[in-house]
Amino acid sequence: MSTNALGLDRKSYMGAKSTLCSGCGHDSITNHIISALYKSSIDPHKVAKISGIGCSSKTPTYFLEKSAGFNSLHGRMAPLATGAKMANRDLKIIGISGDGDSASIGLGGFCHLLRRNVPMVYIVENNGVYGLTKGQFSATADEGSSRKSGEINTYSSIDLCSLAIEMGCGFVARSFSGDAKQLVPLVRAAMEYEGTAFIDVISPCVTFANHPGSTKSYDAVKERKFQLQSLGYIEAKEEIAVDYEGSTLVELHDGSKLALTKVDEHSHDVHDPQAAMKVLIEAKQQNEFATGLFYFDKKHSNLVQDESLSVKPLSELDESTLRPTEEQLNEVMAQFA
Amino acid sequence: MSTNALGLDRKSYMGAKSTLCSGCGHDSITNHIISALYKSSIDPHKVAKISGIGCSSKTPTYFLEKSAGFNSLHGRMAPLATGAKMANRDLKIIGISGDGDSASIGLGGFCHLLRRNVPMVYIVENNGVYGLTKGQFSATADEGSSRKSGEINTYSSIDLCSLAIEMGCGFVARSFSGDAKQLVPLVRAAMEYEGTAFIDVISPCVTFANHPGSTKSYDAVKERKFQLQSLGYIEAKEEIAVDYEGSTLVELHDGSKLALTKVDEHSHDVHDPQAAMKVLIEAKQQNEFATGLFYFDKKHSNLVQDESLSVKPLSELDESTLRPTEEQLNEVMAQFA
Amino acid sequence: MSQIVNDFSVTVATVNGSGSQSANNILMRSIFKMGVPVSGKNLFPSNIAGLPTWFSIRASEKGYVGRKPSSDIVIAMNRDTIIEDFQWLKPGGLFIYNDGLRTNPEEFPEGVRTLGINFNDLCKEVTKSIQLKKLLVNMIYVGALTEILQIPEHVVAETIEHQFKGKESVFEINKKAVNIGREYVKENLSKEDWGIKVEERNLTRDKILIDGNTSGALGFVYAGCSFASWYPITPSSSLAESFEDFCNKLRVTSDGQKQFSMVQSEDELSAISMVAGAGWAGARAMTTTSGPGISLMAETIGLMYFAEIPGVIWDVQRMGPSTGLPTRTSQGDVLAAARCSHGDTRHPVFFPATPKECFDFANLAFDLSERAQTPVFILSDLDLGMNFWMSDRFEYPKTGFDRGKVLKKEDLEKLESFARYADVDGDGIPYRTLPGTDHDLAAYFTRGTGHTPEAKYSEAPDNYQNLMNRLDRKWETIKTMVPSPEVREGKDNKKAYVYFGSTDLVVEELLDIMGEKDVSVMRLKAYPFHNDVKEFIEAHDEVVIIEQNQHGQMGELMRAEFPSLARKISSQTNCDGLPLCPEILATNLKNRGQHVN
Amino acid sequence: MSQIVNDFSVTVATVNGSGSQSANNILMRSIFKMGVPVSGKNLFPSNIAGLPTWFSIRASEKGYVGRKPSSDIVIAMNRDTIIEDFQWLKPGGLFIYNDGLRTNPEEFPEGVRTLGINFNDLCKEVTKSIQLKKLLVNMIYVGALTEILQIPEHVVAETIEHQFKGKESVFEINKKAVNIGREYVKENLSKEDWGIKVEERNLTRDKILIDGNTSGALGFVYAGCSFASWYPITPSSSLAESFEDFCNKLRVTSDGQKQFSMVQSEDELSAISMVAGAGWAGARAMTTTSGPGISLMAETIGLMYFAEIPGVIWDVQRMGPSTGLPTRTSQGDVLAAARCSHGDTRHPVFFPATPKECFDFANLAFDLSERAQTPVFILSDLDLGMNFWMSDRFEYPKTGFDRGKVLKKEDLEKLESFARYADVDGDGIPYRTLPGTDHDLAAYFTRGTGHTPEAKYSEAPDNYQNLMNRLDRKWETIKTMVPSPEVREGKDNKKAYVYFGSTDLVVEELLDIMGEKDVSVMRLKAYPFHNDVKEFIEAHDEVVIIEQNQHGQMGELMRAEFPSLARKISSQTNCDGLPLCPEILATNLKNRGQHVN
Ligand SMILES: Cc1ncc(C[n+]2csc(CCOP(=O)(O)OP(=O)(O)O)c2C)c(N)n1
Ligand SMILES: Cc1ncc(C[n+]2csc(CCOP(=O)(O)OP(=O)(O)O)c2C)c(N)n1
Ligand code: SF4
Ligand code: SF4
Ligand SMILES: [Mg+2]
Ligand SMILES: [Mg+2]
């Protein structure tokens, strides 16, 4: 049985049996998260999985059984995760959400979390519908796409990646539930990013959005998807293989690197927000799914840093630290006397 | 006493005495709205003024006394206006909000209203602070700007104009409370736009954000503001003056036009969202306020059209229309028998 | 064994997403077509596909529709729960299972009559399409069962045609599947083992079989509701969706203009705020939701109360607290609705008990809401809303809309002044104008802050106290406008039962079981309590409120309202997410000690 | 006229944003420094500058601090309200007005002693700076008043130095302004007309003068609260802001690490959700808000109740419903807090009555919240929170934090299994672990849906009912943990008054006025009701609850809880936004008919 650097096998990263529809994209994402964390030898005890409500938000039950988890409220994953992170900065937080959860009811929380740059991984499992309530359009459904019932979406769709860039997020990527090769390195890199790492994963809903009118069906994705880069993850200690000659290396906090290798004619500067926006707008205009890393900004300070937060987690501070002395109280009292 | 085409004097467009701080930018905006509606001879009886909560949201009391008004809840102007518009499509809705009201608590409603393209004018009176609760930062406060107390904003700021373009809004402009020449034609054009017309108006808070560290003080705005175009409003019946030769003419629903005349070297295509984004991103990077019309899209269909909404306002439909016949009821009953 | 006629229940154990719903419908409707009262309950999980689901059909000549603790026949189609599913079977009942599922009959409990049917094999005779097979497998058990129950073939055939109206192409294949099931039973089950049958009666003439959500949706159409905004949430979504469906059929002009507007909002805060905007602007506007939505709507509902804006909130209750059990029934939002929002707010609440009342109350709620200019709640529940009930046909409303005190341009022309919040009539209800009214007197400023009768902002203490007192006066007026309770006086004044909402559906049977047909009962139809409610309680020594929640919320409201009677009032609660079962409830009521909740 | 000593009130009528606050503080503190009990109330509008504001200072040797219907001295600085301001004046009182405001004394009511001072002219002697003039004008009336009240110059000077500590540069100019005011009075008011004075006493030693929000903020620091998220809202903002200030002084390490985290959130939904996240992760976390915020927090509070997550919500109540009157006081959120959220939820609520209790209850609330693993409310109000009260000095907490049943790695090592929601101790309170605990047994899955003792998702009916019953058991445990009421038994058992929160500040005076010093009284400190509450009610024939809301919300809770006692319980309500005035309340209580609310 093979194990990782922590001596854990892959099974140690798994969770309960999924109760999603068979074929649901979300289950594949679960799998890729398991792979990523296993490969990166992340200590499950240090991880907290937090989600909202929806089929997607159920998935944290299906991975990392040894990690604390919280299937919270519809649209409230973002603030909940913010509070948890500030209370215990040592937690590695994986936030899982759906397009309904983040782009509709949770849109405010999503945007404001990004503005604050809360250190965590934020994954949206994006199927363009509300799976759990039976397939109504979500806000990421493309304009002109249709429901199973035939109804056409007339509203502008929200592109969570360009929105994330707009909100100052420094790690913005998109992938597809079926693409292990791309998603696993992305998740590994995201886990080492010192700020909010946002990944929008297109994840077909086989039950309500896998029909021809849907633009997020398996067929539509296959047809419209293209990769901006091919991705490789290089651990901190690892030597950089010759394969990566000519690749762009994006360095992460722990010294590991994400290698971006040119695919076809695509080459945009991942450090330039305007270039990233251009890629996104053009793909949208051409009715294509661009996938890969759009934007990366290492220097950006995060909420923990901005707040000069105690190095020791707040949750571990005890009374002797948290309660000032009697003398200090008396000094305060004197000011009011 | 001079009157407009409806035979109304300017006073007919005024409201109660303002209770805002003297010198508040919001009061100037109030004035410009009065001018715009007076000049455009808008029938006050057909207007509904809707706002959220904040100093800015108080202003609808100070103009258009003869129009129905609603100072609603903090952050809920957008959905409230949506409901009112759908119930009575003949209402000309002027939504007034603040940066706290729209970019913080009301961010979700703001974005989703724009996605739906609800026909109305949406004005944010943007001072970068929560005026009414005494000057805390709002989400539009620039990164690095400071409060009166000295506290520095470390979060990314939200640019409501680029966000509006991102959300598919087809009329996106920015102006300054002190700039009647620019704001009056913008408001007039907005009133004739067949969709959501969004205007972000920088409006200094003299009490809490007029100090040197603020980037929305009168001084800061004066220093950093530049105009993309000089604006002129041409009524439908009016002939196009020679002055406008070489200007771009943006045509509105009633046949009136907004004339955009080049200022300095600025020239971006207002019909190209990417160009508009570029102007906004660059201005931000160069720490400048770009003002003027950023983006205009005429073809975009709006919510009233999308819904094939009854030409007669829903609020005017009576029982004979709203209640189907007994026969129809019996037919339905038969299906369940 | 003795023959059971027209009084039995059948449970089909399956997984959700397996398409058994239309099969179960056909089963249920076939019994209904035989003139025998029937009802159907779906016990389903909170996911989309693959988890255990149970559908129970109850036929009862007496018209009883309550949940039975166990069934006469169980059809076990789900491999994962097959052993567990024996618990649904009544002693002596018949257990039909799918023996194409690698089941091991040796694990079955002893002494139970079982019939294994290899549905999968049989289905091969019907079709080769894997897609279709999944669906038609269910039609085979419909065949098996209708054969056992001796429901004639033509009845089932007609039901199939009714069910699939417009999809003629599937008639034959479904009938074929049914017949294969019938044949199989004929050949493999000895007649003596059948024991249960449906005999034709005349008890369903003029009745319909319908769920509460569909009924409410239709009610809203006939109530003239023209604006709806909603955010999807189980178990209320189908109400919004069928409202839209009905409107698309009944409210579109020949040139395609929609005489309604429906906006799926981004969340519940926006849904209710759109309703407030539309109500303010003069449309009859409603939203549908369930518990979590009510919590999220609290702030705007407070605004509507205070700014006096009409609007109807239909809450299909599910198990709380919090997300709770989205697919289980409850009456747990009574307090959340009646006292929704901070400050001193209170709201009228309707408690429909049947599909017919779902239809009727939609109209009553709008009449009250517009007349009193205040938000009104309708509290249904998952059991009433999503399960199938036999009902009288809905009657065309006898009265026109009451749109309340709205001043139009013509009215204003006769007036010298208009004060939006003045109590002109002494009933606490002011007059309003609608935005857009073409008259200088019409405009006023609406706000959630303190305001004078003229709708000006005011912080003056007297003014505020007067405003609050007027709202209380309005509340008293509302008490005279809500429907009176349904009362049946018993033989004496000792004990009485009080109940509300879908509990009505089990009360007759409950009293029967308890041998208490002559006990006084009162069914509440609305809050605030009509004066008759007080009189009823005054007239009895002890009043037990049957509630499907944990804390006896209706009891709490009543004790608060009637201090001098409070000591008589207590609640018998049930809070496990299942529809009430008369047998169990009877036992609980009998065992009830001094537990006062 | 007779001389009034140490028992009077002064009202300063001005406009907000005029910088009078520090002048009023100096006035108040000067009296305090004289050893005479004093309190101060600010009646301010809901805008930022330019509207009428009244600040009333009351000195009372008896320590009475209630609002007076009128004042002995009125200082009228606001041109717009000058005539109206006569209404604040007691018959025979002295009306000082700014006669630099183009006032017309002929419009003044007759027979009133007035003194016009041209503050603007006088101010020219102090400074030329327009900015400073605006502020110093106020110091001139401080001078005039302290001269009239015969407060020695050095006392005022010391107070000025205390007030402006750290800004030495402004000492002299303020003193100068004061002296100009003093001189003016000496020259222009005949000694006989003064009539009121402050005489030195020894009654304020060991006391402080403080508002409830500052007290609560400090309480949270000493309660070990390390995370706060809040959204600004009057009248709670100053609590959050002074918590941050205190933390910046008392909770930063020498190398600049902050041992707390404070996030100004985007709205109240996020504020409480951050609190839930932080409480879940193991920090003592709180939020501050007012009514509208409570409505918006309802959904997450339900989650915290059901998933059993600690956290404290401090609500500084203002007038509801809806936005109501943001700058007026109320006790209108009792029900909204106690029953916050849909489904069957209920929450402990503390009712601090004094600044000292604001300090103490912050700590008690966290102990209870972490021990019982449930959200806890603290209901203060604008009057207590933003006005100035004399208080005993706060005592250093005698007991350490009770962090409740938290299993650490070391504890888990001794266990074979861990079930998050098992009732191991029979008190309804389970054990929890914190995320990040380095042990395989530690991890569990938190959710707002139905769950087994092992924290697995479950829809099983028995399981759900058991869970709800355990939560009720926990509620019973909580009843034993809340502070008992403060009871004073009267001479007989006929009548009793019950009250809570800031009402405490007026009760002594009220009873004095009513001549009912020997009536039984009980002050509630918390909900759920301690067993002593029931006993007290049982022991009396009639119980009147004094409430600052419209519907008698505490009465409603009590009648619901104590059915057999309900008929005795009624409420005397007041709902005009003003702090209670003992005189008026006494009249209302006397006139009280059968009005039962
Ligand atoms: C406050 C609230 N409103 C509505 C719901 C009902 N609800 C559950 S999941 C869901 C949508 C989920 O959509 P998404 O986040 O896209 O997840 P998916 O199921 O598509 O993976 C909704 C509306 C809820 N649980 N809570
Ligand atoms: C639900 C709710 N939360 C908080 C408040 C308090 N509040 C009133 S106005 C305001 C901020 C206003 O800021 P903005 O919209 O920018 O308006 P400005 O006063 O700056 O013009 C806040 C937080 C409220 N009224 N309601
Ligand atoms: S409904 Fe769609 S999103 Fe939900 S589990 Fe099924 S396939 Fe996945
Ligand atoms: S506080 Fe600021 S925003 Fe509010 S009225 Fe004064 S200047 Fe204007
Ligand atoms: Mg989705
Ligand atoms: Mg602002």
Side-chain angles (χ1 to χ4, degrees), chain C residues 306-321:
Chain C
F306 198 48
E308 302 179 67
I309 298 171
V312 173
I313 303 103
W314 188 299
D315 174 5
V316 187
Q317 296 165 100
R318 65 189 213 183
M319 264 310 224

Side-chain angles (χ1 to χ4, degrees), chain A residues 21-39:
Chain A
C21 305
S22 77
C24 176
H26 301 349
D27 277 339
S28 311
I29 301 174
T30 295
N31 244 313
H32 305 325
I33 292 174
I34 292 171
S35 298
L37 273 76
Y38 167 64
K39 287 191 184 167

Side-chain angles (χ1 to χ4, degrees), chain D residues 168-179:
Chain D
E168 277 73 10
S169 62
V170 304
F171 284 5
E172 286 318 311
I173 197 155
N174 275 285
K175 288 183 196 166
K176 190 170 162 193
V178 165
N179 284 337

Side-chain angles (χ1 to χ4, degrees), chain B residues 150-161:
Chain B
E151 194 191 327
I152 306 251
N153 178 35
T154 55
Y155 305 158
S156 296
S157 87
I158 294 182
D159 185 318
L160 290 170
C161 287

